[in-house]
Amino acid sequence: MRIEDYSFGRIVIDGKTYTRDLIIYPDRIDPSWWRKEGHLLQMEDLGDILKEKPEILIIGTGYSGVMTVPQSLIERLKREGIEVIARNTPQAVEIFNQMDKSRRIIAALHLTC
């Protein structure tokens, strides 16, 4: 999958436009990612992602990076063998597009804020 365009609150992936936070899995997109506390990422928010056993999790923290990703969460994911890349969403999109898709990569992207 390739992200063709991203702007505040809007993303285009393989020709389809999305306007809500989403998760990009290797084989599908979940266009309804919702977090317990919108701007604080918690382990409970990653349940479906963890079931997929990613090698790399790219987290887009919002256009301006408002969503907090606690260091303790990153450290826990690393202990589970998941490389975590957390950046503001414009940077996360660039990183996602540059990654070697032969690895199991999942991107969880907050599109606003």
Side-chain angles (χ1 to χ4, degrees):
M1 283 187 221
R2 177 151 178 81
I3 301 171
E4 297 166 8
D5 187 46
Y6 168 70
S7 58
F8 185 93
R10 180 182 172 277
I11 194 166
V12 180
I13 304 168
D14 293 338
K16 185 168 181 184
T17 301
Y18 299 88
T19 57
R20 296 186 59 188
D21 294 354
L22 52 78
I23 302 169
I24 304 172
Y25 294 97
D27 60 346
R28 69 189 185 287
I29 296 172
D30 175 356
S32 61
W33 185 39
W34 191 254
R35 291 160 312 286
K36 184 176 176 181
E37 292 183 42
H39 290 125
L40 175 62
L41 190 62
Q42 300 176 49
M43 283 302 288
E44 304 95 274
D45 303 324
L46 303 176
D48 291 337
I49 292 170
L50 297 178
K51 290 177 190 173
E52 297 289 326
K53 302 190 184 307
E55 293 176 60
I56 301 170
L57 174 58
I58 300 171
I59 301 169
T61 60
Y63 188 84
S64 299
V66 172
M67 185 176 76
T68 300
V69 181
Q71 188 62 37
S72 59
L73 184 143
I74 293 171
E75 290 169 8
R76 182 171 171 191
L77 292 171
K78 286 182 180 180
R79 283 194 303 272
E80 294 184 25
I82 302 169
E83 179 183 340
V84 179
I85 301 169
R87 302 283 190 282
N88 67 37
T89 302
Q91 291 175 338
V93 164
E94 287 182 33
I95 292 166
F96 178 83
N97 280 338
Q98 294 171 359
M99 295 294 277
D100 176 4
K101 301 302 190 297
S102 68
R103 298 186 68 192
R104 189 151 184 82
I105 300 167
I106 294 177
L109 305 175
H110 178 45
L111 301 185
T112 59
C113 308

